[in-house]
Amino acid sequence: MKERIDRLAQNHILPREELLDLIQNISEADKAYLFEKSLEAKETFYDKSVFMRGLIEISSYCAQNCTYCGIRRDNENAERYRLSVDEILGCCDEGYRLGYRTFVLQGGEDPYYTDERLLELIHAVKGKYDDIAITLSLGERSYDSYKVLKAAGADRYLLRHETASRALYESLHPDMSFDNRRQCLKDLKTLGFQVGAGFMVGLPGQTADDLVEDLMFLKELEPHMVGIGPFIPHSETPIGHNPGGTVDQTLLMISLVRLILPMTLLPSTTALGTIDEKGREKALKVGANVIMPNLSPTDVRAKYALYENKICTGDEAAHCRACIEGRINSVGFYVDMSKGDHYEWR
């Protein structure tokens, strides 16, 4: 198995059947070796740095009905809110004072956010600071909409593909198109965004074959960022009675993605920290290099409940920054508060 891991580290891909065997049959000793190689790959391009992004969750309204998500359209118990432009700018002011130079504006697929409203928001943020990056994560939009947002000054766009298995995708996303999801990611790349894709680990019905499909799709797409987190059940969703994904499964997939896309930006997700107190630190030690502390107003954080028991819902932004920086330092890494572009975009 070590010879195979070495080939993966050198060639950045393996035949499909070898990836499948690796996922299904890797031993603990070989997994430790894999983690060594994935951290080595990360440090080749990013040394011991970990980029910090300021996350602002701007809306908990969503037009979609994904079966795993707590803010899905049909969840009548979800608490809905939208931040005003002034509230968002207030979050950015606090973040900028704390050193953040990337702001991630994330929300459900909220029809309220027309191109005109997003243009106003992007211009307001970019007009206030000349040395920041804006990342949007607002779901599927048209090519023309993405084009307008790029021209207005948005730098990056995160749109997890969720799963590269058509059957699994369609079972989880009523009324959504597997093909359109992929087309959106291709459109974003064509338009010149730094693009983030990603998937969940441990979904009900997900197989090792499905995970191989995720790896092959990412290799083909070559996104600049890949968000990988465990499935965490939400009790008010159709699949909320299922067991969740594990830290161990998620770390394995993070390390494989790091070797397949050695220059990609890999977040250590809040979801990992939610299911394991040391989950984020564990991800950093296998090659993750981005953390996104929450800058949203504390009174709305618990309302943005994609899953339950999310951590850091009550922390002030400054406390969140100091706490996470301490955790990063504790495992031998240092914080980089720059815009944190993908290696090839520097």
Side-chain angles (χ1 to χ4, degrees):
M1 193 70 83
K2 285 186 177 178
E3 178 274 334
R4 183 177 297 176
I5 293 167
D6 285 337
R7 276 194 289 116
L8 178 59
Q10 182 174 352
N11 301 328
H12 312 306
I13 196 61
L14 287 173
R16 189 180 298 263
E17 62 275 10
E18 290 190 35
L19 285 172
L20 180 63
D21 182 56
L22 197 154
I23 290 170
Q24 290 179 316
N25 299 312
I26 191 167
S27 68
E28 287 304 311
D30 288 332
K31 195 180 293 180
Y33 184 68
L34 173 69
F35 292 166
E36 278 181 38
K37 299 302 285 187
S38 58
L39 181 58
E40 186 180 296
K42 176 258 173 180
E43 293 188 350
T44 297
F45 296 100
Y46 298 105
D47 195 36
K48 294 189 179 295
S49 62
V50 176
F51 300 116
M52 298 265 270
R53 325 287 207 200
L55 175 65
I56 305 170
E57 295 158 335
I58 67 173
S59 172
S60 67
Y61 286 88
C62 192
Q64 300 297 356
N65 221 12
C66 308
T67 60
Y68 48 81
C69 184
I71 65 168
R72 65 195 305 268
R73 182 184 70 228
D74 286 355
N75 182 6
E76 296 177 356
N77 294 320
E79 295 187 74
R80 309 294 181 178
Y81 72 89
R82 289 187 188 102
L83 299 182
S84 68
V85 172
D86 284 344
E87 286 174 313
I88 294 167
L89 287 175
C91 297
C92 292
D93 284 342
E94 174 73 351
Y96 194 87
R97 183 183 67 79
L98 291 167
Y100 293 94
R101 294 299 180 265
T102 287
F103 298 118
V104 181
L105 308 182
Q106 184 177 71
E109 289 198 19
D110 184 352
Y112 172 84
Y113 284 104
T114 59
D115 290 347
E116 290 72 24
R117 286 192 169 107
L118 288 177
L119 288 180
E120 177 192 0
L121 177 57
I122 292 166
H123 287 147
V125 176
K126 277 288 180 92
K128 200 164 191 180
Y129 320 102
D130 60 5
D131 58 342
I132 59 106
I134 291 179
T135 300
L136 300 178
S137 182
L138 301 169
E140 296 180 16
R141 303 177 75 90
S142 69
Y143 178 92
D144 288 340
S145 176
Y146 290 143
K147 185 176 181 179
V148 165
L149 300 179
K150 184 72 178 70
D155 303 280
R156 307 169 185 150
Y157 203 102
L158 309 182
L159 183 72
R160 285 190 180 188
H161 67 278
E162 304 296 9
T163 172
S165 159
R166 180 183 294 274
L168 185 57
Y169 184 92
E170 290 175 350
S171 74
L172 297 167
H173 301 92
D175 310 320
M176 294 180 74
S177 163
F178 177 78
D179 294 317
N180 189 64
R181 192 75 170 189
R182 290 180 169 227
Q183 188 59 51
C184 284
L185 285 162
K186 292 173 184 173
D187 290 346
L188 289 162
K189 280 206 80 177
T190 299
L191 288 165
F193 282 92
Q194 289 186 58
V195 176
F199 60 97
M200 280 184 286
V201 180
L203 286 161
Q206 187 181 56
T207 66
D209 282 295
D210 295 331
L211 293 172
V212 172
E213 285 298 319
D214 286 313
L215 297 177
M216 302 304 282
F217 173 69
L218 290 169
K219 183 63 177 177
E220 175 191 348
L221 180 67
E222 294 204 328
H224 307 95
M225 181 168 164
V226 181
I228 304 169
F231 163 63
I232 302 179
H234 190 297
S235 61
E236 293 175 342
T237 63
I239 62 171
H241 59 283
N242 288 279
T246 66
V247 173
D248 200 49
Q249 289 174 303
T250 307
L251 295 178
L252 175 62
M253 299 312 296
I254 289 172
S255 63
L256 290 173
V257 170
R258 172 56 72 199
L259 291 181
I260 288 170
L261 298 170
M263 286 184 280
T264 201
L265 296 159
L266 274 172
S268 176
T269 63
T270 303
L272 266 175
T274 296
I275 66 170
D276 183 324
E277 187 182 352
K278 297 288 186 182
R280 287 178 295 191
E281 291 93 321
K282 290 176 180 179
L284 295 177
K285 288 159 79 172
V286 305
N289 66 329
V290 174
I291 288 187
M292 296 194 281
N294 202 326
L295 295 177
S296 306
T298 53
D299 62 340
V300 303
R301 289 187 197 178
K303 298 176 184 178
Y304 196 79
L306 308 185
Y307 51 85
E308 290 171 320
N309 303 312
K310 185 171 75 169
I311 57 173
C312 290
T313 54
D315 292 343
E316 295 296 334
H319 176 267
C320 208
R321 151 95 206 254
C323 171
I324 291 174
E325 184 160 1
R327 286 171 170 265
I328 290 168
N329 295 156
S330 75
V331 286
F333 303 101
Y334 61 83
V335 168
D336 185 329
M337 295 299 290
S338 69
K339 289 192 285 186
D341 285 317
H342 181 277
Y343 187 83
E344 289 185 333
W345 285 62
R346 295 180 163 202

